[in-house]
């Protein structure tokens, strides 16, 4: 497929010659052939002109969940990928949150095959332990060879510290990335929201920040002893940021992420008992939000993620106590981050992170594969439930004003709008 993007403003702070410059971009057979101030449209070439068109390297999300296999009513892989493409994402890391969970090499092959020829690249995580039960290590090396980019029990914390130690030591030989979800379940107890003034007023059981921070401190001590590569997903507390900052100063091989909704919302939004705000980790205080935003700006937090978690209506439209955790986030990711950080920082955040997973670093230049996101950073809109293409509509951002909307992507020699 031959494509000519007309008058596109390139956002790529790593390329000073092109950054924020308006250019025509010619793409042939999936590669960038020419970038110039003016290119005449060649024969057999589709010309694309869009209002206030901006382009960047394709966006990357390090934490998405779909339903397939087992929860197809929430989101199939095909519809999840369509949602991601419409939202501007060319590359996704898929959480092992299906049923059965992917804990063998054949499971990883199934997930990769299900995403083939869909335009968006899907990189599955395998479970760290058999059946995600936290009792014995799964076949990590075989899953790595089958295409797993890391090992994670999908928001199930590793309660056995020795198991984490062995996992880090074992995976070091083949540079496997071990996830450890930051929650001490004994401290968290039966809590469902952040422990504090709001939980007390609402009569909801609270999860203290200590439950996250104790687990992070434990994991970092184990990492320092055992070596290996550790990723701590979706942190939510101010002290969590500080603990990871201190570990990085020591030179430990640790990375972390934060969910976009934990940057945007604090626990005061819970007053209406809207179950779309019931997420894990829970929404914390305004002080925590500010510390997380600062952690992102300072580079202590490595990635932001939509933490896209579709939940069917039967599990959300119930009493708050009984509702499942999770919010969708792919479709609101750009518009919410752009409001918070501005254009250049937002694109930096949405395009970083591939290296941690051993994935190819994309470059915006002639001769490179075309993995490009097309977007308008100035369009403001109210995010409406009926406009969501995700099968599940459990978004915390419904009814919120966002700034910036993706047109779609060009990836794997396909145009997906």
């Amino acid at each position: 497929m031959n494509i000519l993007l007309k008058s596109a403003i390139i956002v790529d702070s790593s390329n000073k010659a092109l950054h924020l410059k308006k250019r025509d971009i010619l793409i042939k057979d999936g590669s960038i052939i020419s970038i110039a101030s003016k290119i005449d449209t060649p024969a057999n070439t589709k010309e694309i002109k869009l209002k206030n068109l901006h382009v960047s390297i394709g966006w990357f999300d390090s934490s998405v969940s779909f339903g397939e296999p087992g929860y197809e009513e929430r989101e199939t892989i095909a519809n999840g990928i369509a949602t991601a493409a419409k939202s501007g994402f060319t590359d996704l890391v898929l959480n092992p949150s299906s049923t059965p969970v992917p804990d063998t090499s054949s499971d990883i092959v199934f997930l990769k095959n299900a995403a083939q020829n869909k335009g968006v690249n899907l990189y599955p995580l395998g479970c760290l332990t058999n059946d995600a039960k936290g009792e014995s290590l799964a076949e990590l090396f075989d899953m790595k060879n089958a295409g797993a980019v890391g090992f994670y029990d999908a928001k199930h914390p590793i309660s056995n510290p020795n198991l984490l130690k062995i996992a880090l030591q074992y995976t070091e030989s083949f540079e496997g990335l071990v996830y450890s979800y930051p929650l001490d379940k004994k401290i968290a107890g039966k809590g469902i929201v952040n422990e504090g003034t709001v939980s007390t007023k609402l009569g909801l059981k609270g999860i203290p920040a200590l439950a996250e921070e104790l687990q992070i401190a434990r994991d970092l001590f184990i990492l320092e002893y055992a070596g290996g590569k550790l990723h701590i997903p979706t942190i939510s507390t101010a002290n969590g940021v500080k603990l990871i900052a201190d570990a990085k100063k020591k030179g430990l091989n640790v990375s972390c992420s934060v969910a976009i909704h934990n940057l945007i919302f604090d626990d005061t939004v819970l007053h209406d008992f809207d179950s779309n705000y019931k997420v894990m980790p829970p929404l914390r205080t305004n002080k925590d939000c500010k510390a997380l935003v600062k952690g992102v700006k300072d580079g202590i937090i490595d990635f932001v993620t939509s933490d896209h978690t579709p939940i069917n209506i039967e599990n959300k439209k119930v009493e708050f106590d009984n509702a499942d955790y999770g919010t969708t986030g792919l479709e609101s990711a750009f518009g919410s981050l752009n409001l918070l950080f501005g254009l250049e920082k937002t694109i930096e955040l949405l395009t970083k992170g591939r290296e941690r997973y051993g994935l190819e670093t994309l470059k915006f230049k002639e001769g490179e594969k075309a993995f490009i996101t097309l977007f308008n950073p100035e369009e403001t809109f109210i995010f409406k439930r009926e406009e969501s293409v995700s099968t599940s509509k459990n978004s915390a951002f419904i009814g919120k004003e966002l700034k910036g909307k993706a047109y779609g992507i060009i990836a794997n020699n396909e145009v997906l709008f």
Side-chain angles (χ1 to χ4, degrees), residues 258-265 289 292-293 296 304 337 340-341:
V258 63
I260 295 169
H261 46 265
N262 283 101
L263 296 170
I264 304 288
F265 303 114
C289 289
L292 293 167
V293 169
V296 170
V304 296
L337 285 174
L340 188 60
F341 292 108

Side-chain angles (χ1 to χ4, degrees), residues 52-66:
N52 194 30
L53 175 60
H54 286 60
V55 295
S56 74
I57 292 167
W59 298 345
F60 171 78
D61 194 332
S62 64
S63 178
V64 302
S65 298
F66 298 147

Side-chain angles (χ1 to χ4, degrees), residues 7 13 23 43 60 72 91 102 162 182 185 228 238 270 292 361 367 391 404:
S7 302
S13 58
R23 295 288 186 267
F60 171 78
E72 285 83 358
D91 298 89
N162 192 53
K185 294 189 77 170
L270 299 173
L292 293 167
T361 301
T391 305

Side-chain angles (χ1 to χ4, degrees), residues 132-147:
K133 289 183 176 179
E135 296 173 358
S136 58
L137 292 182
E139 50 179 63
L140 307 184
F141 183 68
D142 289 347
M143 286 193 287
K144 169 84 170 179
N145 288 340

Side-chain angles (χ1 to χ4, degrees), residues 36 79 136 264 311 314:
N79 195 74
S136 58
I264 304 288
I311 302 293
E314 292 85 356

Side-chain angles (χ1 to χ4, degrees), residues 21-321:
K21 301 293 195 303
K22 185 179 286 187
R23 295 288 186 267
D24 290 355
I25 304 164
L26 180 61
I27 299 166
K28 184 177 181 180
D29 297 328
S31 295
I32 300 172
I33 301 301
S34 179
I35 303 172
S37 297
K38 188 177 188 304
I39 301 174
D40 294 327
T41 306
N44 302 316
T45 299
K46 180 179 181 179
E47 184 178 289
I48 295 177
K49 284 184 176 179
L50 296 167
K51 180 182 177 183
N52 194 30
L53 175 60
H54 286 60
V55 295
S56 74
I57 292 167
W59 298 345
F60 171 78
D61 194 332
S62 64
S63 178
V64 302
S65 298
F66 298 147
E68 187 179 356
Y71 298 113
E72 285 83 358
E73 75 280 4
R74 297 180 177 182
E75 193 94 278
T76 62
I77 289 174
N79 195 74
I81 283 176
T83 303
K86 177 238 180 187
S87 307
F89 291 89
T90 62
D91 298 89
L92 305 172
V93 174
L94 180 66
N95 292 322
S97 52
S98 58
T99 181
V101 293
D103 59 359
T104 68
S105 57
S106 59
D107 296 328
I108 300 301
V109 171
F110 166 82
L111 292 170
K112 291 185 72 68
N113 287 343
Q116 271 189 346
N117 304 317
K118 296 288 196 300
V120 174
N121 291 325
L122 192 69
Y123 301 101
L125 295 166
C127 282
L128 184 68
T129 66
N130 287 312
D131 205 26
K133 289 183 176 179
E135 296 173 358
S136 58
L137 292 182
E139 50 179 63
L140 307 184
F141 183 68
D142 289 347
M143 286 193 287
K144 169 84 170 179
N145 288 340
V149 295
F151 309 107
Y152 181 31
D153 281 353
K155 299 202 175 183
H156 295 290
I158 305 168
S159 59
N160 182 347
N162 192 53
L163 192 67
L164 176 62
K165 175 184 74 90
I166 293 169
L168 288 167
Q169 291 172 328
Y170 173 59
T171 55
E172 189 171 19
S173 63
F174 55 89
E175 296 188 347
L177 181 62
V178 173
Y179 275 59
S180 181
Y181 186 67
L183 181 72
D184 185 312
K185 294 189 77 170
K186 290 183 179 179
I187 296 291
K190 295 182 179 180
I192 58 172
V193 299
N194 179 59
E195 182 182 85
T197 305
V198 172
S199 66
T200 302
K201 286 181 178 178
L202 299 180
L204 297 172
K205 293 185 176 72
I207 301 174
L210 179 66
E212 174 173 302
E213 295 151 9
L214 272 180
Q215 193 85 347
I216 291 175
R218 184 206 74 170
D219 292 352
L220 293 173
F221 272 117
I222 294 171
L223 177 65
E224 187 171 11
Y225 174 84
K229 290 170 61 176
L230 179 67
H231 181 68
I232 301 174
T234 57
I235 66 171
S236 66
T237 67
N239 280 338
V241 178
K242 184 179 183 301
L243 287 166
I244 291 167
D246 291 342
K248 288 187 171 186
K249 287 177 184 176
K250 290 181 178 180
L252 299 187
N253 194 346
V254 61
S255 56
C256 68
S257 65
V258 63
I260 295 169
H261 46 265
N262 283 101
L263 296 170
I264 304 288
F265 303 114
D266 61 39
D267 58 359
T268 58
V269 299
L270 299 173
H271 284 288
D272 292 331
F273 295 94
D274 183 344
S275 63
N276 286 333
Y277 293 120
K278 187 180 180 182
V279 291
M280 184 57 69
L283 302 178
R284 301 287 186 180
T285 67
N286 183 253
K287 177 185 174 183
D288 291 306
C289 289
K290 289 179 178 177
L292 293 167
V293 169
K294 187 175 187 301
V296 170
K297 290 179 177 178
D298 293 344
I300 296 164
I301 297 175
D302 300 272
F303 327 124
V304 296
T305 172
S306 69
D307 204 27
H308 181 81
T309 308
I311 302 293
N312 45 309
I313 191 169
E314 292 85 356
N315 297 98
K316 273 294 187 180
K317 203 163 187 178
V318 293
E319 289 183 357
F320 192 91
D321 279 26

